[in-house]
Amino acid sequence: MLLLGTLQASVSIIPMPQKCIEKRGNFTVNDKTVITLSVDNEEMRNAVSFWNDLFDTAAGFSLEVSSTPRSSNVIRCRLNTSLPNEESYKLTVSQSSIHIDARTPKGIFYAFQTLRQLLPSAIESDKLVTEKVKWNIPCVVIEDSPAFSYRGVMLDVSRHFIPKEDVKRHIDLLAFHKLNILHWHLTDDQGWRIEIKKYPKLTTVGGYRKKTIVGYMWDNPTEWYTKRYGGFYTQEDIKEVVAYAKKRFVEIIPEIEMPGHSVAALTAYPEYSCTGGPFEVEGRWGVFNDIYCTKESTFTFMQDILDEVVKLFPSSYIHLGGDEAPRIRWKNCVHCQERMKQEHLTKEAELQTYFINRIENYLNTKGKKIIGWDEILEGGLSPDATVMSWRGTSGGISAALQKHDVIMTPGSGGLYLDHYQGDYKIEPVTIPSAPAYLSRTYNYEPVPDTIKSLGLEKHILGVQCNNWSEYMYTNAKMEYQMYPRSLALAEIAWSPAKKKNFTDFARRVDANSVRLDERHVRYHIPLPEQPYGSCDKVVITKDTVVTFQTSRPMKMVYTLDGTTPTPASAVYTEPIKVSGNMTIKIATVLPSGKMSKVRTIDVEKQNYA
Ligand code: ACM
Ligand code: ZN
């Protein structure tokens, strides 16, 4: 008889499906298994092609894809209009066949993402698996549909640039977890990252900075990394990444920031500022006073840029930023003051609205809608704008009350992945506000109660995590900040809120870590922490205990004899008794045996008085 525990251990899908019934037995994929398609077209072939890529690489065989029905050893994919929406799917795995029903190829694709998580993790290997693996899939019946249509991740490639191959790798990981939007933050004070043919200096000048601040921006004295730093994507790169994302049902929304966060662009073209410059591409982090001027020529400049941008991105949205734009330059600029007079504006905040409105109107003529950070509410909201609520949830609530669409991404809700995910004393340097431990991200509920009580839920399109990269110096650091918290995002964006259970989620994160290992993802493993602030030295005057905890339930192992702990070392079950001088070495360990870094804590005994 199968024990319930065994069943639970075998099925650890993230995000948790809406309905999942586990059955007895397995379907085994082998080189005779055939994938059949009810409609044989390019999109359907695309929805299954990555499956064959996985098998080709890891198992050394691929499956025949055909439209001829088969009764057994088949993965039968059928388009079926009775499913609730275009991303829904129904998946029935029995010992002789797998049946997938979906309304669109996108639903078929998501069913295959679920199947991937039911296979042995070796399927994710990037080379032929030489041990004998049976490619078993446990029998299940799954009915699944997303909670939200917008399930996004923002990548800031301005503060630190990541090459297109790394962007593709992120897209693979997003799609694997049924996330469907990549918000690509392409421009900011510290670097302009998208080639614009009409204004080549945007990238040749604006794409590079002379120096970069090291550590926190308020550290005194300031330390600089003085090597020239930068990079950008050519339009050919952009097309390649957009096509790559499309194949994985990920939509890319580009962000071209305005009117603030524009020092890189103004370094290249200072004539579009209020003061005329000169400027330097910023090497510090923060908010800067020099922003685009509202003179007429700026709008021509912005429109020319957007003409090129809209051609590269098929998304119906363009993100215009709109956040953190100080108005001090506008206050002191003859052009901006003249503009306010002409337009009968009394406050500079309304000039920001004028700026965003004008660009929105222009983009509407190109068939595009705009998204902006919640500052775009301040001088009055543009007619059709979607608001990204980042300064808490009030911006999102206010926009929904005005019947605007909203994407929730509050920094205070655990959705800023540049915030700490563990004790700041032992985690690598990052943004020190509002800690975003995995449980906080996971427990975020995207629909505020006010919105529910007013029946305005339909205006909450979804939810997004932001990866601001000031402290994500490399792609490795970005992955460390993103995983596993992006899995929590996937679950709050996809799974029904009533099914949320952090303990079970933490178990599935542990179980799935081997899949991330196969893909060489450099994810965060919680460290043993001390409850009142972690430190490397504990001074005692009497026999006492040293207590440890982890940011999610984890096994901890330790030694007291100076040796490096292994998965077989003493398991931490209660505070460690200490007396006299000694050394504690302690680490966490995943079910796979993979360990965190080892922490060493010296205990020093001092005599009382
Ligand atoms: C933001 O975090 N400045 C949108
Ligand atoms: Zn001006």
Side-chain angles (χ1 to χ4, degrees):
M1 200 181 96
L2 274 173
L3 296 172
L4 188 62
T6 322
L7 281 174
Q8 282 175 341
S10 63
V11 174
S12 298
I13 302 160
I14 297 176
M16 170 73 98
Q18 217 173 60
K19 272 194 210 157
C20 175
I21 301 166
E22 296 169 41
K23 305 267 183 174
R24 246 161 242 282
N26 293 291
F27 176 90
T28 306
V29 181
N30 58 35
D31 58 359
K32 306 282 183 317
T33 306
V34 176
I35 299 176
T36 64
L37 307 177
S38 66
V39 177
D40 192 352
N41 62 22
E42 194 187 327
E43 251 205 310
M44 284 291 271
R45 290 226 164 216
N46 171 46
V48 304
S49 66
F50 82 93
W51 178 261
N52 263 340
D53 293 343
L54 290 176
F55 272 91
D56 237 356
T57 308
F61 62 84
S62 57
L63 314 186
E64 183 191 335
V65 181
S66 140
S67 55
T68 312
R70 278 275 205 112
S71 57
S72 67
N73 202 6
V74 61
I75 305 178
R76 190 224 61 189
C77 305
R78 185 172 68 179
L79 294 182
N80 176 346
T81 53
S82 75
L83 274 102
N85 74 46
E86 63 156 28
E87 298 185 302
S88 314
Y89 66 90
K90 181 163 187 226
L91 170 65
T92 308
V93 179
S94 67
Q95 289 183 4
S96 61
S97 62
I98 295 178
H99 285 185
I100 298 172
D101 282 65
R103 200 148 104 183
T104 68
K106 192 173 183 184
I108 303 275
F109 178 78
Y110 287 145
F112 274 99
Q113 302 314 312
T114 297
L115 283 176
R116 262 170 98 173
Q117 291 193 20
L118 293 169
L119 277 164
S121 61
I123 196 62
E124 303 298 331
S125 170
D126 58 5
K127 50 187 175 308
L128 188 66
V129 180
T130 48
E131 314 87 83
K132 196 125 187 73
V133 178
K134 243 182 165 340
W135 301 107
N136 279 350
I137 299 177
C139 294
V140 284
V141 179
I142 291 178
E143 285 177 36
D144 207 5
S145 216
F148 295 99
S149 60
Y150 186 110
R151 305 182 298 278
V153 162
M154 189 276 296
L155 295 186
D156 166 13
V157 293
S158 172
R159 276 54 178 265
H160 285 97
F161 179 69
I162 55 171
K164 67 178 175 186
E165 292 311 326
D166 289 330
V167 179
K168 288 183 185 172
R169 176 173 156 79
H170 284 293
I171 290 168
D172 280 335
L173 290 166
L174 301 190
F176 185 22
H177 299 102
K178 306 189 179 82
L179 293 164
N180 64 353
I181 305 281
L182 172 67
H183 164 183
W184 209 358
H185 184 80
L186 287 162
T187 73
D188 215 304
D189 302 302
Q190 295 81 4
W192 182 283
R193 307 279 177 234
I194 172 173
E195 177 190 28
I196 301 295
K197 296 204 192 276
K198 190 155 184 182
Y199 300 101
K201 284 192 289 181
L202 282 171
T203 43
T204 56
V205 174
Y208 296 86
R209 59 182 180 248
K210 290 190 186 137
K211 57 182 187 179
T212 305
I213 196 161
V214 176
Y216 286 128
M217 60 194 184
W218 53 82
D219 284 350
N220 195 1
T222 306
E223 193 184 320
W224 296 98
Y225 171 75
T226 52
K227 204 164 149 204
R228 186 171 182 259
Y229 179 94
F232 64 90
Y233 309 106
T234 65
Q235 293 200 355
E236 286 311 306
D237 292 339
I238 300 265
K239 285 183 204 158
E240 187 182 318
V241 174
V242 167
Y244 189 89
K246 182 165 183 277
K247 277 193 80 143
R248 287 150 185 83
F249 299 92
V250 171
E251 176 178 330
I252 301 189
I253 299 176
E255 180 179 353
I256 307 296
E257 269 265 28
M258 63 190 76
H261 285 297
S262 44
V263 174
L266 293 176
T267 305
Y269 297 97
E271 57 270 40
Y272 305 117
S273 70
C274 291
T275 65
F279 308 105
E280 242 186 49
V281 178
E282 271 299 341
R284 294 168 296 165
W285 320 128
V287 173
F288 301 95
N289 287 336
D290 289 293
I291 68 173
Y292 295 120
C293 180
T294 61
K295 65 180 92 156
E296 202 51 33
S297 58
T298 306
F299 290 98
T300 311
F301 176 63
M302 297 317 310
Q303 289 173 8
D304 287 345
I305 290 170
L306 291 168
D307 282 347
E308 296 190 30
V309 171
V310 297
K311 288 198 191 111
L312 294 168
F313 295 92
S315 171
S316 55
Y317 291 108
I318 303 286
H319 199 307
L320 297 183
D323 62 320
E324 299 178 323
R327 294 161 192 146
I328 179 82
R329 295 289 184 258
W330 288 354
K331 243 185 170 61
N332 298 311
C333 168
V334 286
H335 303 289
C336 292
Q337 290 305 312
E338 181 55 32
R339 173 76 72 193
M340 283 177 68
K341 247 192 248 140
Q342 259 173 25
E343 299 295 328
H344 311 293
L345 308 177
T346 55
K347 299 192 293 267
E348 279 76 19
E350 293 165 348
L351 202 49
Q352 154 115 350
T353 299
Y354 171 84
F355 198 115
I356 299 290
N357 267 353
R358 244 187 101 159
I359 301 292
E360 175 177 29
N361 289 339
Y362 184 72
L363 284 171
N364 288 164
T365 69
K366 306 271 163 190
K368 301 285 185 185
K369 297 180 283 187
I370 67 155
I371 303 180
W373 300 108
D374 57 42
E375 283 92 333
I376 66 167
L377 282 152
E378 283 173 9
L381 200 46
S382 295
D384 203 23
T386 295
V387 172
M388 222 168 233
S389 191
W390 73 279
R391 295 175 302 176
T393 55
S394 57
I397 294 170
S398 161
L401 290 176
Q402 297 175 53
K403 310 280 190 308
H404 281 251
D405 286 342
V406 172
I407 294 144
M408 297 307 269
T409 179
S412 53
L415 301 188
Y416 268 48
L417 303 190
D418 53 339
H419 293 190
Y420 278 102
Q421 54 192 325
D423 187 346
Y424 75 95
K425 293 198 165 152
I426 49 175
E427 284 292 325
V429 61
T430 188
I431 297 274
S433 49
Y437 286 22
L438 183 67
S439 56
R440 190 180 187 94
T441 308
Y442 186 78
N443 288 323
Y444 179 67
E445 164 51 43
V447 185
D449 288 343
T450 331
I451 297 300
K452 270 187 213 145
S453 64
L454 294 169
L456 293 169
E457 294 94 326
K458 75 164 200 284
H459 287 295
I460 310 293
L461 299 185
V463 61
Q464 173 171 296
C465 275
N466 294 331
N467 297 285
W468 298 109
S469 65
E470 286 92 335
Y471 300 97
M472 300 184 192
Y473 310 123
T474 60
N475 194 44
K477 179 86 184 286
M478 191 173 246
E479 287 178 8
Y480 179 85
Q481 295 295 123
M482 284 177 76
Y483 289 91
R485 288 182 295 180
S486 297
L487 307 187
L489 170 76
E491 189 137 319
I492 60 181
W494 180 282
S495 308
K498 62 180 185 308
K499 282 204 135 182
K500 263 186 173 170
N501 174 329
F502 182 68
T503 308
D504 183 63
F505 173 70
R507 176 192 67 75
R508 284 178 285 124
V509 167
D510 284 353
N512 273 295
S513 61
V514 286
R515 299 182 193 278
L516 298 181
D517 288 335
E518 293 286 1
R519 305 215 137 239
H520 312 290
V521 179
R522 293 150 286 186
Y523 53 84
H524 172 252
I525 305 176
L527 288 163
E529 297 180 354
Q530 289 142 280
Y532 303 109
S534 301
C535 55
D536 298 343
K537 183 161 179 179
V538 175
V539 179
I540 61 169
T541 51
K542 59 173 186 179
D543 292 358
T544 183
V545 292
V546 180
T547 305
F548 292 94
Q549 62 187 24
T550 47
S551 58
R552 68 170 198 260
M554 296 274 303
K555 179 172 161 185
M556 290 183 267
V557 287
Y558 68 98
T559 63
L560 299 175
D561 62 2
T563 59
T564 303
T566 70
S569 297
V571 176
Y572 179 94
T573 54
E574 59 182 1
I576 299 171
K577 293 192 179 69
V578 289
S579 57
N581 292 340
M582 55 198 293
T583 299
I584 302 171
K585 287 187 184 264
I586 185 162
T588 55
V589 55
L590 286 163
S592 62
K594 187 168 175 177
M595 296 176 73
S596 72
K597 276 198 262 184
V598 175
R599 288 199 57 219
T600 301
I601 293 104
D602 286 321
V603 179
E604 185 186 310
K605 174 84 185 279
Q606 284 181 359
N607 290 329
Y608 179 70

